[in-house]
Amino acid sequence: MCSIIGYYGNEVAAPIIVKGLRRMEYRGYDSVGVATESNSQIELKKGTGKVEEVNSKIQLDSLPGKIGIGHTRWATHGKVTDVNAHPHPSNSGKLAIVHNGIIENFEELKKQLEKEGYIFKSETDSEVIANLLQKNYEKIKNVKDAIIKTVSELKGNYAFVAMFENGQMAAARFHEPLIVGIGKNSYFLSSDVLGFIEQTDNAIYIENGNFVLIEKDKLEIFDFNGNIVKQQITKVSKEFADAYKGDYAHFTLKEISEQPDIIFKSGENTKNAIKNAGNHIKNSNNIYITGSGTSYNAALIAKQILAKYAKIKVDTIISSELQFSSQIIEPESTLIAISQSGESADVLEAVNIAKKEKCKIISIVNSLTSSLARESDFIIGMNCGPEIGVAATKSFTSQIIIIYKLVEVICNGNFVIDYKEISNAISKILENHAQVRNIAKEIKEISDIYVLGRGVHYPIAIESALKLKELTYIHAEGIAGGELKHGPLALMDSNVFVIIINPKDSTYSDTLTSAREIKARGAKIIGISDEKSDVYDYWIEIPKTSELTYPISETIPIQLLSYYAAIEKDTDPDYPRNLAKSVTVK
């Protein structure tokens, strides 16, 4: 969940590292730190807060030296404090590490190291790596063998970069992302290509159970047994360099505004994969779809569309829950895994469970070089460009478009989507910022918001509630319209707002009836519809479109409402508290 970066080259390291950390801050922003090696000494600065804030305070980018490591943290073990921030030096101060992941046996290792006289300053599991590596290095006197010994003693999922005062650098990967950037007379070690994309588009994606050793301008890769591994350099798409806000106040608003174009881009880089995956689905006996958060909500929509139009029954499974019900996976079935980053630990675990049952894996993913993509039989690219805002917006739209395209293949032309109609509808909605912002002012002090929908609009209600929770910190809940009288109606009074997802389709009349029942209890109603009604206290108009395209167009007003409510509440919509973009730890 954190971002790690290392630089080894001919330029001053600290400014390059700080710039890379800014670009990866979506992965964690509780604290930040940088360590460099200069004149055979390790110098370190770190503190709590975002990169810009800490750098302004203590000048992280002023550290000397041409070798360095950096880190932005999303706390798992220990509070958000300066001492818990990375990098972590070893007791001797002769090496320092940055770490992403969780060391499951850190308490056991820590107790043993303390018995041997090692002193721990932080509450983190990460500091164990630094002192364990120091112990092994001092005993073995060789960085390569010290790494092999250290990883043999660690349990858990991790990636770490270690820097030694002698100028050597090493990094190891076990079920957490680690990428090497190959520059001109320089090397980068990073959690994400965004960490070095401005410097180079040549990358090596380190395989699981491998480690990297850099010394004297030479890079080697080994497996955990010490065998040398052949290096394969990949050209990274330059689109990932386009991670700037431009004239927008926040990445979230920029990414919401990009969606009219995303309609046409989604899946276009993997057309053959969509065709092949669609044909495979047609011939599959059992199909499962998994995802987490917004991606799971996309899976719920896929389930309804596949059932209604392709007559294909699928089971949807929250990725984190699959380990507790793995017996439902029939052997030799198909699992569709949806993930923006392709690095979500829960999704990767679900894929691992399915592969043990000899299932075929279809991934819908934004990064074609991610861990998920490398585990898949069919890789479908979202092609929506980098999404920096922690709350998913354009990636959700891209996922739905890809689902439409899969169903088009499955239905052999009997299911047709007008993508231009969707794009035009989104563009029209995006012209209406002023009205949405006025409604945002009304809800900013509300403690409870409910979102109601029926049929395919129910997953949109769930996704809408998630956006409101993520960006505004208001308690929000998605409700199935037919369940209103089975409990939720008891919550309706003058202190709550209810958003009604109600385009004029087959669900319209029943949903309008629910709205009247809610209003009779005193709640305020926000209607999202292409048809005005006197039951709405506030009406957000969406264009009239074909029934199939409503799920996307009705999502956009909620994204805008959540964004502007966050602005009204003076919270940061790009970096919601306690959250990170890519959940790479369980």
Side-chain angles (χ1 to χ4, degrees):
M1 193 78 86
C2 309
S3 64
I4 59 177
I5 190 168
Y7 173 78
Y8 188 109
N10 294 328
E11 298 181 50
V12 178
I16 295 172
I17 290 169
V18 170
K19 195 169 187 178
L21 291 174
R22 284 195 191 102
R23 295 176 69 90
M24 294 193 293
E25 198 166 25
Y26 70 90
R27 299 178 62 88
Y29 37 91
D30 295 338
S31 58
V32 60
V34 173
T36 59
E37 182 274 330
S38 178
N39 297 321
S40 297
Q41 287 189 324
I42 291 177
E43 299 192 36
L44 188 152
K45 292 184 178 183
K46 58 183 180 178
T48 57
K50 294 180 181 177
V51 175
E52 201 62 50
E53 175 189 348
V54 176
N55 190 49
S56 296
K57 190 184 302 181
I58 60 175
Q59 290 77 50
L60 299 166
D61 56 7
S62 69
L63 286 169
K66 297 179 180 180
I67 301 171
I69 56 177
H71 187 276
T72 60
R73 183 173 185 245
W74 184 85
T76 55
H77 292 75
K79 297 177 182 178
V80 179
T81 63
D82 289 352
V83 74
N84 286 335
H86 294 224
H88 288 291
S90 67
N91 271 191
S92 68
K94 294 182 179 181
L95 68 90
I97 65 99
V98 288
H99 163 233
N100 174 39
I102 291 178
I103 305 302
E104 294 174 358
N105 62 333
F106 86 99
E107 291 179 328
E108 171 190 333
L109 292 170
K110 184 176 181 179
K111 287 177 183 177
Q112 181 58 41
L113 287 165
E114 286 176 329
K115 286 180 182 178
E116 297 175 26
Y118 286 86
I119 298 170
F120 288 81
K121 298 177 181 178
S122 77
E123 305 167 287
T124 70
D125 57 337
S126 307
E127 194 178 0
V128 165
I129 302 173
N131 285 324
L132 182 62
L133 187 54
Q134 176 191 318
K135 171 188 170 181
N136 291 329
Y137 178 62
E138 289 179 347
K139 184 176 181 180
I140 300 171
K141 306 296 183 183
N142 176 280
V143 171
K144 177 185 171 183
D145 292 336
I147 292 289
I148 294 171
K149 174 63 173 170
T150 299
V151 297
S152 73
E153 297 177 85
L154 298 176
K155 294 179 182 178
N157 296 348
Y158 56 82
F160 68 82
V161 181
M163 179 181 64
F164 297 77
E165 68 172 12
N166 64 4
Q168 287 181 284
M169 185 174 287
R173 180 194 175 214
F174 194 68
H175 296 295
E176 296 292 350
L178 180 64
I179 308 164
V180 176
I182 310 295
K184 186 177 180 181
N185 301 316
S186 62
Y187 298 106
F188 299 84
L189 297 159
S190 182
S191 303
D192 192 316
V193 296
L194 286 175
F196 57 78
I197 191 63
E198 284 189 325
Q199 305 287 332
T200 180
D201 61 353
N202 292 317
I204 299 174
Y205 288 82
I206 302 303
E207 294 295 331
N208 199 48
N210 287 351
F211 70 94
V212 178
L213 183 62
I214 306 173
E215 59 177 328
K216 297 179 181 177
D217 301 322
K218 180 183 178 182
L219 181 142
E220 292 181 298
I221 302 173
F222 304 90
D223 64 25
F224 279 4
N225 293 317
N227 302 309
I228 196 160
V229 174
K230 187 178 179 181
Q231 305 172 21
Q232 183 175 349
I233 297 176
T234 301
K235 280 284 185 185
V236 178
S237 173
K238 277 293 189 181
E239 70 169 1
F240 286 98
D242 186 27
Y244 294 98
K245 289 182 287 190
D247 294 331
Y248 292 94
H250 298 93
F251 281 112
T252 301
L253 184 58
K254 176 178 182 281
E255 289 154 7
I256 292 171
S257 302
E258 289 173 345
Q259 290 175 104
D261 292 331
I262 295 304
I263 301 302
F264 302 111
K265 293 179 179 179
S266 299
E268 287 299 295
N269 57 336
T270 50
K271 287 182 179 179
N272 287 337
I274 292 174
K275 181 179 178 180
N276 294 336
N279 288 327
H280 175 78
I281 290 169
K282 280 194 287 188
N283 297 311
S284 297
N285 292 326
N286 300 293
I287 300 168
Y288 309 92
I289 311 179
T290 192
S292 299
T294 289
S295 295
Y296 178 70
N297 296 335
L300 293 175
I301 294 173
K303 177 178 181 177
Q304 294 210 23
I305 292 174
L306 282 164
K308 184 173 182 178
Y309 297 101
K311 309 303 179 188
I312 292 176
K313 178 186 175 183
V314 302
D315 289 318
T316 54
I317 310 164
I318 297 174
S319 297
S320 58
E321 290 294 312
L322 184 54
Q323 61 180 307
F324 305 113
S325 55
S326 58
Q327 65 276 3
I328 71 171
I329 300 291
E330 294 288 339
E332 300 184 354
S333 300
T334 297
L335 177 73
I336 303 173
I338 306 177
S339 171
Q340 189 281 137
S341 69
E343 301 294 349
S344 169
D346 294 332
V347 176
L348 292 172
E349 176 66 17
V351 167
N352 183 50
I353 291 169
K355 291 188 79 168
K356 287 179 181 177
E357 298 298 331
K358 299 182 180 179
C359 293
K360 292 292 185 182
I361 309 298
I362 299 171
S363 61
I364 300 175
V365 63
N366 203 21
S367 173
L368 300 182
T369 51
S370 63
S371 298
L372 174 59
R374 296 200 296 275
E375 293 292 330
S376 301
D377 299 286
F378 305 90
I379 309 164
I380 301 174
M382 294 179 196
N383 200 36
C384 64
E387 187 178 62
I388 304 301
V390 168
T393 53
K394 66 177 181 177
S395 62
F396 179 68
T397 293
S398 182
Q399 290 164 356
I400 303 305
I401 292 296
I402 287 168
I403 290 161
Y404 286 159
K405 290 184 175 182
L406 282 170
V407 178
E408 284 180 324
V409 172
I410 295 166
C411 292
N412 297 316
N414 295 318
F415 174 90
V416 179
I417 293 291
D418 186 341
Y419 296 102
K420 187 174 182 180
E421 179 186 58
I422 302 175
S423 179
N424 290 340
I426 295 173
S427 295
K428 191 169 183 62
I429 294 166
L430 290 172
E431 296 172 0
N432 200 21
H433 285 235
Q435 183 197 16
V436 174
R437 185 155 197 172
N438 287 335
I439 298 173
K441 293 176 182 178
E442 298 296 322
I443 69 170
K444 69 176 182 178
E445 301 299 337
I446 295 297
S447 59
D448 299 283
I449 297 178
Y450 301 93
V451 191
L452 184 143
R454 277 183 163 82
V456 75
H457 311 299
Y458 173 50
I460 298 299
I462 298 174
E463 170 62 14
S464 299
L466 177 59
K467 284 294 148 291
L468 287 161
K469 282 184 279 194
E470 287 176 315
L471 295 183
T472 71
Y473 316 149
I474 297 171
H475 167 254
E477 181 180 342
I479 299 172
E483 291 295 293
L484 183 64
K485 296 177 184 177
H486 296 277
L489 197 59
L491 300 169
M492 304 304 157
D493 59 29
S494 59
N495 296 315
V496 305
F497 271 67
V498 181
I499 299 172
I500 306 294
I501 310 291
N502 196 28
K504 197 162 187 183
D505 60 6
S506 57
T507 68
Y508 179 77
S509 296
D510 287 341
T511 303
L512 201 61
T513 297
S514 297
R516 295 190 186 282
E517 293 169 346
I518 291 167
K519 190 166 186 178
R521 273 73 182 176
K524 291 285 193 299
I525 304 291
I526 301 171
I528 296 178
S529 179
D530 51 358
E531 187 81 9
K532 190 174 184 179
S533 171
D534 59 0
V535 75
Y536 304 143
D537 295 285
Y538 306 92
W539 176 42
I540 301 177
E541 183 178 6
I542 59 174
K544 291 185 181 295
T545 62
S546 58
E547 186 170 335
L548 283 171
T549 64
Y550 281 130
I552 292 178
S553 60
E554 65 200 18
T555 304
I556 310 303
I558 297 292
Q559 293 176 352
L560 286 173
L561 183 63
S562 301
Y563 170 78
Y564 281 117
I567 299 300
E568 291 296 326
K569 291 171 69 69
D570 197 27
T571 66
D572 188 339
D574 285 346
Y575 303 109
R577 69 186 182 198
N578 303 331
L579 301 179
K581 183 71 176 173
S582 181
V583 183
T584 61
V585 294
K586 293 183 182 180

